[in-house]
Amino acid sequence: MESTMLDTQKSAALWLEAKDLMPGGVNSPVRAFRSVGGDPLFFERGQGAHLWDVDGNRYIDYIGAWGPAILGHAHPAVIAAVKAVLDNGFGFGAPTPAENQIAKVIREALPTMEVVRLVNSGTEATMSALRLARAFTGRDKIVKFIGCYHGHADMLLVQAGSGVATLGLPDSPGVPAASVANTLTLPFNDMAALDALFAAEGDAIAGVIIEPVVGNAGVLVPEPGFLEHLRALTARHGTLLIFDEVMTGFRVAWGGAQCRFGIEPDLTCLAKAIGGGMPIGAYGGRREIMDMVAPAGPMYQAGTMSGNPAAVAAGLATLAELAKPGVYARLEETTQQLARGLKQAADEAGVPVQVNQLGAMFTLFFTETPVKDWETAKASDTAKFGRYHRLMREAGIYLPPSQFEANFVSLAHGPAEVEATIAAARKAFKVL
Ligand code: HOZ
């Protein structure tokens, strides 16, 4: 392992303590750096595109709180909006005007979400959307794609991406066989497999859930026609199409992946960016489907913290910034420059990589073969990724600690950050 030049003594001491206090020392698995080596850093503060660890080292951040920090950390408008509501109390377990406002903004951006229910996380959103698909269709089977991660509800912990894939875990113990008996899986981007499954079981499938641009296997971009075909097939069989836009919503475009690709899902799940860093989630869709949700209808789903004023205020302030003209063109341009620069630096050093990018998300895979699904993603050289991660960390670039996660770029990343990141990568590629 490369020698550590940064002084990270305070992080090291905290890590020692954390390992005794929390499972694996963390509150979410990939944070433990198991697949990249080295000890996790503890952070004190974030500002714009930067993070500072407890030892005072500064990093350019590409995790972005795993997606929510699309404006950069501690954006003044978001801080001010949250401060403004805190004096009035943290939540009342009752309706507030701000909930109407955020539902209107979401519907304006993603018109397929005619009716919106706020929840507290992406996991809650996907879990509820699938219950709703089952309630609406009266069918039990659901379909997910291999390498997609939709949170940690029992029925979805099957061939999942993100931390499950990073740690190479089998389908999780504690999930009863009965909970996943109706979960069918398919390879992403494989139209023939999709056709075969629907020919055999289409009329028994309640819903298909998909990350329209996958972030949780690293970034996988849908091949032309794949999402269109999925839409047509699900419509023909009366199966609901659920877009998990927890990562892509308000990130790859103002209207998310569905707007970018011109596809109308029946239900959509959101989280991350719509809370600007506060815990939030949402699911929504066609009125006739959402009318099944209690108390409008019989499908039960509830939450004490749902729509809490601080999260909604942070979300509204974030969305107001994202609604400004030119924002998405800027995000795209910055991310493309970064992706191109990293690829060029790797090519110059003779290191085979693939860089998948769409909107403000990208992944650099250490493999010669184009990456289009989980099979091709997992062929990446994860040991090399680990070395790259450590070298970049030493150079002050903080990347997601897994080959199978997306890098998130924010509006606070500019030419200086792009240049510094490519320069660090150029040095890293030379010694890999
Ligand atoms: N599973 C999340 C990323 N895909 C990680 C969340 C976290 O550790 O905060």
Side-chain angles (χ1 to χ4, degrees), residues 26-32 63 65-67 149 151 161-164 166 211 215-217 247 272 400-401 404-406 408:
V26 287
N27 285 313
S28 190
V30 284
R31 298 180 192 182
I63 297 185
W66 297 97
Y149 176 75
S162 190
V164 184
T166 301
E211 296 180 76
N216 283 296
M247 284 186 178
K272 297 195 188 278
F404 308 119
E405 295 281 1
F408 293 116

Side-chain angles (χ1 to χ4, degrees), residues 17-381:
E17 186 178 52
K19 282 193 282 187
D20 182 51
L21 292 167
M22 286 164 270
V26 287
N27 285 313
S28 190
V30 284
R31 298 180 192 182
F33 280 20
R34 290 238 170 136
S35 73
V36 291
D39 292 345
L41 300 165
F42 282 66
F43 288 97
E44 206 156 62
R45 148 177 115 82
Q47 186 68 58
H50 294 98
L51 290 175
W52 282 262
D53 70 16
V54 289
D55 291 281
N57 302 301
R58 189 182 87 153
Y59 304 84
I60 301 175
D61 177 31
Y62 287 101
I63 297 185
W66 297 97
I70 190 161
L71 307 180
H73 296 281
H75 190 282
V78 180
I79 304 281
V82 174
K83 278 186 178 161
V85 297
L86 289 183
D87 280 344
N88 297 329
F90 289 176
F92 322 115
T96 60
E99 289 166 76
N100 292 15
Q101 281 174 35
I102 200 166
K104 280 194 267 184
V105 176
I106 290 172
R107 180 164 67 184
E108 188 266 324
L110 293 90
T112 62
M113 296 181 78
E114 286 173 9
V115 179
V116 179
R117 168 59 62 86
L118 293 182
V119 291
N120 301 291
S121 67
T123 291
E124 273 187 59
T126 55
M127 190 175 83
S128 309
L130 280 163
R131 183 182 303 145
L132 178 55
R134 285 171 160 163
F136 183 76
T137 57
R139 304 171 182 176
D140 287 340
K141 290 188 201 279
I142 57 168
V143 175
K144 76 174 284 290
F145 290 85
I146 301 167
C148 283
Y149 176 75
H150 305 287
H152 61 88
D154 281 359
M155 67 188 149
L156 288 163
L157 277 185
V158 184
Q159 303 203 63
S162 190
V164 184
T166 301
L167 299 170
L169 298 177
D171 295 338
S172 178
V175 175
S179 302
V180 291
N182 286 308
T183 305
L184 312 172
T185 58
L186 283 172
F188 190 75
N189 269 333
D190 188 337
M191 289 206 220
L194 189 59
D195 284 338
L197 181 68
F198 268 82
E201 317 216 36
D203 293 344
I205 299 170
V208 175
I209 188 163
I210 187 167
E211 296 180 76
V213 177
V214 183
N216 283 296
V219 171
L220 309 177
V221 178
E223 287 176 348
F226 178 66
L227 294 176
E228 288 80 354
H229 188 65
L230 176 61
R231 175 63 285 187
L233 204 57
T234 45
R236 199 175 317 140
H237 287 271
T239 298
L240 297 192
L241 177 60
I242 305 165
F243 270 14
D244 175 347
E245 298 230 40
V246 165
M247 284 186 178
T248 54
F250 294 96
R251 174 165 288 280
V252 299
W254 169 248
Q258 55 193 264
C259 156
R260 237 180 123 133
F261 294 105
I263 309 282
E264 295 192 353
D266 300 296
L267 293 172
T268 299
C269 301
L270 298 171
K272 297 195 188 278
I274 62 161
M278 289 280 190
I280 202 169
Y283 66 100
R286 282 210 320 274
R287 184 174 299 279
E288 60 164 329
I289 305 171
M290 291 302 289
D291 274 350
M292 291 286 296
V293 179
M299 190 219 79
Y300 199 71
Q301 181 272 311
T304 300
M305 302 303 289
S306 298
N308 87 81
V312 172
L316 276 169
T318 302
L319 298 180
E321 293 299 313
L322 291 174
K324 292 181 176 167
V327 157
Y328 286 93
R330 221 166 87 211
L331 281 170
E332 185 82 46
E333 199 184 313
T334 308
T335 317
Q336 275 182 9
Q337 276 171 5
L338 198 52
R340 267 199 304 267
L342 291 171
K343 173 78 175 119
Q344 197 182 339
D347 288 350
E348 282 163 13
V351 178
V353 302
Q354 307 293 324
V355 186
N356 286 1
Q357 176 264 330
L358 194 100
M361 56 200 283
F362 76 93
T363 298
L364 183 145
F365 294 95
F366 285 92
T367 174
E368 281 172 19
T369 324
V371 177
K372 64 178 184 87
D373 56 15
W374 173 240
E375 276 307 301
T376 43
K378 80 168 190 230
S380 303
D381 185 340

